[in-house]
Amino acid sequence: MQAHQPTSQRESVFNNEVISRFELYNSLFLTLPFYKVKDTGTLLPLFIKSCEEGVKHHETPAKLIEEFFKKYTPNTDPQDIIDLLFRFIQYIERQVVLFDAVEDASFNKLNITDEQSSLRALFLKANDNKKLHHKVDQLIEDFSLRLVLTAHPTQFYPGSVLAIINDLTLAIKKNDISTINQLLQQLGKTPFFNKKSPTPVDEALSLAWYLENVFYFAAANIQSGLNQLLSEYHIDPKKIIELGFWPGGDRDGNPNVHPETTLQVSKMLRQILFRCYYRDFRNIKRRITFRGVEDAIAVLQDVLYKNAFDSNLEPQDISDFLLENLHKIKDILTNDHDGLFADLVDDLLRKVELYRSHFASLDIRQDSRILRDVHAYCRQQKPINALFSENYAELSEEEKIKALSFRNAKIIYSGEQSSLIEDTLQTIAQIKEMQQSNGEMACHRFIISNCQQASDILQLMELFLWNGWEADELTIDFVPLFETVNDLSGAAKIMETLYTHPFYQKHLASRGGKQDIMLGFSDSTKDGGYLMANWSIFKAKVDLTTVSEKHNIKLAFFDGRGGPPSRGGGKTHRFYASMGKEIANKNIQLTIQGQTISSQYGSIDSAAFNIEQLINAGISAGVKEKHNVLLDPENYNTLEVMAKDSYESFLALRQHPLFLPYLETLSPLTLLSKITISSRPVKRNSGEALKLEDLRAISFVTSWSQLKQNIPGFYGIGTALKNQEKAGNWEQVTKTYQESGYFKTIIDNCMMSMSKSDFTITAYLAKDKTYGEFWKTLHEEFELSKTMLLKLAGHHSLMENYPVEKRSIAVREKIILPLVLIQHYALEKLQHKLNEEQQQAYEKLAIRTVYGIVNAGRNLA
């Protein structure tokens, strides 16, 4: 690695703990005799050097790869070249894992919580300030954080590799060379991908690894610290952390999720949880061998064992029973045995209070268009058909809402049901079963994606009343998901209609007057570009907060955030810390998906750190409760104009006739469906020709990141800033940047996206007859954006204020540069006439490069 002069203590730690150790273990790794190819490890450093030189001179990937083989393996035929490239890929994939493990092993040394911004510091300030003390008390009472694990196809490591990473990280922490050597050998022989695509249950099992091995401990540790802090200030303990789960419940665009899938995942979550409880209980039983606790211990032993291992057991929510017996044991220990080992009981008590009998709440999600079809089907059935006119579908939104009666009915189904209709009706009935088995929190939310009108929610409520539910026992929260720029702009009006509807009012009152609203970052970015997406979501949050406060509704925003900044990721906690009093922020809810799970929540240390960051951000923002300066007319108008200019620039790009052909030809977009990492199709309407509106945001963003161009993360922002400069408004833009933490975070995240871009890799395309001018358009906007962002921030380079993260990105990009070039080489070969065997070989080559590139990015997809 190139020498780098550190400018801070944290950078010195990074160089010593991460860079130096990686170089040491990598040299060990490259000498291991893998794959029966003696010289792969020897040739790889030479290949990396050739790639760097070739990119510097703007050579085509085909030329630099073919010249490398002429120079170093002169008598190699095309098949041998493909074979050796596969060996390179296998080594590089594992180099990425090694770097992950080394970086994770140094996590605690690199990430020290800022004591000045911690909750403890906040309580200390409140000691002598009664008003602040009262505010903190109230915030703690109202605040909650829900992290929802989702199964989006961006997590490429199978469970076996995750376990190796975990063990390797521990070995590196101890500098245990012998174990590291063994684990590297194991890593070299362990497959990195599945032979066939996982089912939704497989995905759930994969993510449950994090629940069982990370969140079970990390969330409980954070809650323990909170409880300790609250007790010091004579405040009752308050459960703050909740976990959510999407695999098995999210059926939007995934035809492979069925009612039995959802039930299976719900049972699996319960069983894994009780095995965790039983594991902890055995430690308690081993220590608490005193008189007086025998009966309670025996009862818990029997109950926990059966719930953990007896698959024939009729499951019930037994969390209250567990708590009662654990409290009995604790009381006896406190009163009769000087509290000996009471801390072990406390630890399990805390976990049962957090996870009850469900572990994580399983959300159900379906597209509004499917739900409308289900309602239409039910309207044709007896006795429902008597309640609706035949022309109901043609009625206006207002007329439709008036026509809804919310009567309980038992439908007599006749005629055939499509699989999607059958799925919805069965799932509605099954939610009740899951609540009875695992408790109400096991499954209590139905998310309506692509929600475009109030009737989308009200009609779904009717479906519940027609399929086994009573109006006064409707223990379900109906959550609209607003995604596109247009839907976000109309969201407040939809909620106003719902808040003033008598039936919905009554239902909300029964749910504690609380409304969850989900906002999607990914689709809004695909729809309107990076700046417009962020600005649209900001405005929607302000409007939705206003209308909710007007009707005295407790609003919780559920942010559908992906890994990269273009999908709502990046420095997430800084968004929450920068909310003003105009945006509801007492209940933070967000999805964590793909690489974000492994990179930010992959270990107990990193998960605890990031959970704490989010809690601190929410509480501190609530205490400050400042007015958000973006709502001041001059700032608001500036962002409004910039978002519009950015949107128009992005829209012009999207409408360019070469936009999709460029992606299809030069990125692995068309091959993503052949990657065996997801149960979910790459696009909706998978049998039809590719249209941008059907393309999933994940596939869209991933394709651009594979090209190392990250268009969704910046495109249009340079044009918007330049227009402000031309209009003589630069001073105002700078003022907005300096005053607004929210806008600053948008800019910082944009710089992160651009740091993971490298147009020199594709510079050879400037001379391409078909795509040359289009590439230049992309490159010019990148350079303009870079110039304007650096000018705005007063920096000399991107991510200047995050030197360690910048260095980490640079090392990762260096590791996977050969993968990017091999991918371009394979895709270029696929443009020629090939026989079937060659076609498959180059497709496989291109597909295999995707894994390592995404994994190295940690939040690229």
Side-chain angles (χ1 to χ4, degrees):
M1 296 293 162
Q2 189 178 353
H4 176 81
Q5 197 63 35
T7 59
S8 69
Q9 186 181 349
R10 192 164 174 256
E11 271 191 276
S12 295
V13 171
F14 186 80
N15 283 345
N16 293 331
E17 294 288 329
V18 180
I19 302 294
S20 298
R21 282 166 128 187
F22 173 70
E23 288 175 347
L24 171 66
Y25 300 138
N26 189 43
S27 61
L28 173 70
F29 179 66
L30 286 173
T31 60
L32 294 175
F34 294 144
Y35 316 118
K36 299 178 184 174
V37 180
K38 212 190 286 183
D39 53 4
T40 306
T42 311
L43 284 173
L44 182 56
L46 297 171
F47 184 62
I48 292 169
K49 181 96 173 130
S50 295
C51 289
E52 289 170 351
E53 289 297 316
V55 165
K56 207 181 286 180
H57 296 106
H58 299 174
E59 289 177 6
T60 67
K63 184 184 177 189
L64 71 87
I65 285 173
E66 284 161 7
E67 285 189 354
F68 169 82
F69 282 105
K70 274 182 199 169
K71 185 174 180 181
Y72 293 104
T73 56
N75 300 315
T76 309
D77 65 30
Q79 187 55 50
D80 288 337
I81 290 175
I82 290 173
D83 288 345
L84 190 51
L85 288 175
F86 269 115
R87 307 303 178 209
F88 286 159
I89 291 169
Q90 289 170 321
Y91 263 90
I92 293 166
E93 284 172 340
R94 286 153 179 81
Q95 283 181 310
V96 171
V97 167
L98 177 58
F99 191 78
D100 282 350
V102 173
E103 204 168 42
D104 289 347
S106 307
F107 185 88
N108 286 340
K109 292 180 181 178
L110 288 167
N111 297 279
I112 301 163
T113 304
D114 181 3
E115 290 298 326
Q116 299 306 308
S117 63
S118 69
L119 282 185
R120 186 167 289 281
L122 193 59
F123 273 93
L124 281 169
K125 284 180 194 170
N127 260 349
D128 304 318
N129 185 331
K130 282 188 179 178
K131 190 177 176 185
L132 180 59
H133 201 291
H134 177 73
K135 185 178 267 192
V136 171
D137 285 3
Q138 194 57 53
L139 273 168
I140 293 290
E141 181 59 37
D142 295 340
F143 185 78
S144 67
L145 168 68
R146 179 180 286 211
L147 299 171
V148 182
L149 279 70
T150 71
H152 286 329
T154 54
Q155 176 47 264
F156 290 1
Y157 295 138
S160 54
V161 175
L162 288 172
I164 296 171
I165 294 173
N166 194 50
D167 295 343
L168 188 55
T169 301
L170 292 173
I172 291 169
K173 271 186 181 180
K174 297 173 187 172
N175 214 24
D176 181 350
I177 298 290
S178 174
T179 304
I180 291 166
N181 189 26
Q182 284 185 326
L183 289 168
L184 289 176
Q185 289 187 59
Q186 183 188 356
L187 191 67
K189 295 174 180 293
T190 302
F192 263 45
F193 57 95
N194 305 307
K195 286 189 175 177
K196 58 180 184 176
S197 293
T199 67
V201 175
D202 293 333
E203 289 174 329
L205 270 168
S206 178
L207 278 190
W209 186 92
Y210 291 98
L211 286 178
E212 180 180 0
N213 295 287
V214 178
F215 285 94
Y216 179 75
F217 300 103
N221 292 348
I222 291 289
Q223 189 67 55
S224 174
L226 279 168
N227 290 352
Q228 174 64 34
L229 181 61
L230 295 176
S231 70
E232 288 173 24
Y233 289 89
H234 310 292
I235 301 171
D236 290 335
K238 162 75 169 58
K239 177 184 169 181
I240 282 182
I241 304 163
E242 297 173 356
L243 298 177
F245 205 71
W246 271 23
D250 178 18
R251 54 246 302 134
D252 177 17
N254 191 344
N256 300 309
V257 178
H258 308 294
E260 56 272 22
T261 309
T262 308
L263 265 185
Q264 201 175 338
V265 170
S266 182
K267 287 175 181 174
M268 180 202 74
L269 288 173
R270 186 182 199 282
Q271 189 167 45
I272 288 172
L273 174 63
F274 275 92
R275 286 179 182 176
C276 289
Y277 287 161
Y278 186 70
R279 179 177 60 195
D280 284 358
F281 176 75
R282 287 182 66 187
N283 290 331
I284 292 173
K285 190 183 174 189
R286 192 177 296 124
R287 293 285 165 263
I288 302 174
T289 51
F290 323 135
R291 295 197 182 279
V293 296
E294 302 96 323
D295 291 347
I297 289 280
V299 165
L300 284 176
Q301 162 74 28
D302 183 56
V303 167
L304 288 172
Y305 183 84
K306 282 179 178 172
N307 278 273
F309 301 107
D310 186 353
S311 53
N312 296 317
L313 184 80
E314 192 65 38
Q316 291 178 313
D317 178 13
I318 58 166
S319 49
D320 287 336
F321 176 80
L322 296 178
L323 292 171
E324 181 189 334
N325 279 278
L326 286 167
H327 276 296
K328 269 186 200 173
I329 295 170
K330 187 184 171 186
D331 289 344
I332 293 167
L333 293 177
T334 305
N335 296 329
D336 301 343
H337 302 286
D338 303 317
L340 187 60
F341 299 128
D343 57 325
L344 294 178
V345 181
D346 262 336
D347 182 58
L348 185 52
L349 266 169
R350 199 159 35 247
K351 287 165 179 168
V352 177
E353 285 164 352
L354 275 176
Y355 311 125
R356 309 291 294 187
S357 291
H358 65 280
F359 213 163
S361 296
L362 191 59
D363 286 341
I364 307 297
R365 183 173 77 135
Q366 185 54 284
D367 190 280
S368 63
R369 290 162 289 195
I370 303 296
L371 297 174
R372 285 174 213 155
D373 290 344
V374 180
H375 195 265
Y377 171 80
C378 290
R379 291 197 306 269
Q380 297 165 5
Q381 309 299 316
K382 291 178 182 179
I384 302 301
N385 57 357
L387 300 174
F388 292 91
S389 62
E390 286 186 17
N391 70 333
Y392 173 85
E394 282 77 54
L395 297 177
S396 67
E397 170 71 352
E398 194 178 339
E399 289 170 329
K400 278 181 184 172
I401 291 173
K402 278 183 185 173
L404 300 174
S405 62
F406 302 100
R407 291 187 194 173
N408 280 89
K410 185 162 178 60
I411 298 180
I412 303 162
Y413 290 110
S414 62
E416 283 189 24
Q417 297 177 353
S418 73
S419 59
L420 287 171
I421 290 172
E422 185 180 5
D423 171 71
T424 303
L425 297 175
Q426 282 189 35
T427 302
I428 286 171
Q430 276 181 356
I431 294 173
K432 185 174 279 191
E433 183 183 334
M434 287 187 283
Q435 289 191 355
Q436 287 165 352
S437 299
N438 297 9
E440 184 186 310
M441 287 295 288
C443 185
H444 67 97
R445 299 203 302 188
F446 202 120
I447 299 162
I448 302 97
S449 52
N450 194 38
C451 186
Q452 296 178 327
Q453 49 207 25
S455 60
D456 285 335
I457 289 182
L458 296 173
Q459 287 179 175
L460 176 58
M461 295 178 83
E462 278 205 321
L463 291 177
F464 271 78
L465 298 181
W466 299 340
N467 289 277
W469 293 78
E470 300 291 329
D472 55 356
E473 294 175 7
L474 194 51
T475 50
I476 299 293
D477 298 311
F478 296 93
V479 183
L481 167 51
F482 302 110
E483 300 175 84
T484 64
V485 171
N486 188 52
D487 290 350
L488 287 162
S489 66
K493 188 180 175 187
I494 289 172
M495 296 316 297
E496 175 81 40
T497 303
L498 289 169
Y499 292 156
T500 54
H501 188 280
F503 185 80
Y504 197 76
Q505 276 182 333
K506 190 178 176 185
H507 174 70
L508 268 189
S510 75
R511 303 299 291 160
K514 185 169 175 276
Q515 174 69 56
D516 293 356
I517 297 176
M518 188 172 181
L519 303 174
F521 284 75
S522 301
D523 281 289
S524 50
T525 301
K526 182 169 79 89
D527 182 46
Y530 177 70
L531 185 57
M532 177 57 94
N534 278 282
W535 184 236
S536 297
I537 286 168
F538 175 84
K539 290 194 298 180
K541 283 190 170 184
V542 171
D543 292 345
L544 288 164
T545 301
T546 302
V547 73
S548 298
E549 286 178 350
K550 174 183 161 187
H551 294 282
N552 201 27
I553 302 298
K554 288 180 271 188
L555 175 59
F557 286 117
F558 177 23
D559 291 326
R561 295 183 179 274
S566 55
R567 292 182 47 236
K571 299 282 181 183
T572 304
H573 67 280
R574 290 183 57 206
F575 276 113
Y576 294 113
S578 63
M579 299 292 178
K581 62 184 179 180
E582 295 83 4
I583 293 177
N585 203 31
K586 288 177 182 173
N587 306 103
I588 294 177
Q589 302 183 16
L590 68 154
T591 56
I592 52 172
Q593 53 187 260
Q595 298 149 294
T596 309
I597 300 172
S598 57
S599 63
Q600 294 185 17
Y601 300 89
S603 69
I604 295 170
D605 290 340
S606 61
F609 178 82
N610 284 295
I611 290 170
E612 196 169 348
Q613 290 270 76
L614 288 167
I615 293 171
N616 289 350
I619 299 285
S620 61
V623 169
K624 291 172 191 167
E625 221 181 27
K626 288 180 181 175
H627 162 68
N628 196 309
V629 296
L630 286 186
L631 294 170
D632 294 339
E634 59 272 22
N635 293 327
Y636 186 94
N637 293 337
T638 299
L639 261 294
E640 188 77 2
V641 172
M642 282 177 60
K644 184 171 174 290
D645 287 353
S646 175
Y647 175 66
E648 286 175 358
S649 175
F650 185 74
L651 200 61
L653 182 72
R654 271 186 42 167
Q655 291 170 346
H656 193 290
L658 289 179
F659 185 76
L660 262 185
Y662 182 86
L663 260 191
E664 287 181 287
T665 306
L666 299 170
S667 85
L669 175 62
T670 55
L671 299 175
L672 292 181
S673 60
K674 297 183 181 183
I675 293 179
T676 56
I677 57 158
S678 173
S679 68
R680 224 174 152 89
V682 169
K683 64 187 181 77
R684 294 176 176 89
N685 300 324
S686 51
E688 298 177 13
L690 180 65
K691 295 179 195 166
L692 188 57
E693 56 269 26
D694 290 334
L695 185 62
R696 294 198 171 282
I698 295 167
S699 309
F700 179 70
V701 171
T702 300
S703 298
W704 284 113
S705 70
Q706 293 285 308
L707 270 165
K708 290 296 157 197
Q709 292 174 1
N710 286 333
I711 295 301
F714 74 86
Y715 199 91
I717 203 163
T719 296
L721 287 167
K722 189 66 180 176
N723 288 353
Q724 288 297 302
E725 185 185 56
K726 285 178 183 173
N729 203 30
W730 188 252
E731 195 177 323
Q732 176 57 51
V733 176
T734 307
K735 182 171 175 281
T736 304
Y737 172 78
Q738 289 168 347
E739 289 180 352
S740 170
Y742 192 89
F743 184 45
K744 193 170 279 187
T745 303
I746 288 172
I747 297 300
D748 281 355
N749 276 351
C750 185
M751 287 190 187
M752 186 196 292
S753 278
M754 295 179 73
S755 294
K756 296 183 179 183
S757 301
D758 187 354
F759 276 81
T760 59
I761 294 172
T762 49
Y764 68 91
L765 287 172
K767 297 175 182 174
D768 189 87
K769 288 179 183 176
T770 306
Y771 298 111
E773 291 306 312
F774 186 77
W775 181 90
K776 286 176 188 173
T777 300
L778 302 178
H779 183 233
E780 283 163 11
E781 182 64 25
F782 176 84
E783 290 298 329
L784 177 62
S785 297
K786 183 178 175 182
T787 301
M788 300 311 296
L789 288 172
L790 293 178
K791 181 178 180 180
L792 179 62
H795 293 168
H796 295 99
S797 61
L798 296 171
M799 291 188 74
E800 187 178 297
N801 51 337
Y802 296 105
V804 169
E805 288 83 352
K806 177 182 177 179
R807 182 89 171 111
S808 175
I809 289 169
V811 174
R812 289 170 177 280
E813 294 301 313
K814 181 183 172 73
I815 291 170
I816 52 99
L817 174 63
L819 294 185
V820 179
L821 293 168
I822 291 169
Q823 184 183 104
H824 282 283
Y825 169 74
L827 291 172
E828 194 272 333
K829 290 287 184 186
L830 287 168
Q831 301 307 309
H832 301 290
K833 193 171 178 66
L834 303 168
N835 62 39
E836 192 176 337
E837 188 181 344
Q838 290 170 324
Q839 177 86 13
Q840 286 181 355
Y842 285 115
E843 277 189 4
K844 190 179 173 189
L845 195 63
I847 287 166
R848 278 298 301 276
T849 61
V850 173
Y851 294 78
I853 295 169
V854 170
N855 286 334
R858 286 213 139 178
N859 72 344
L860 271 182

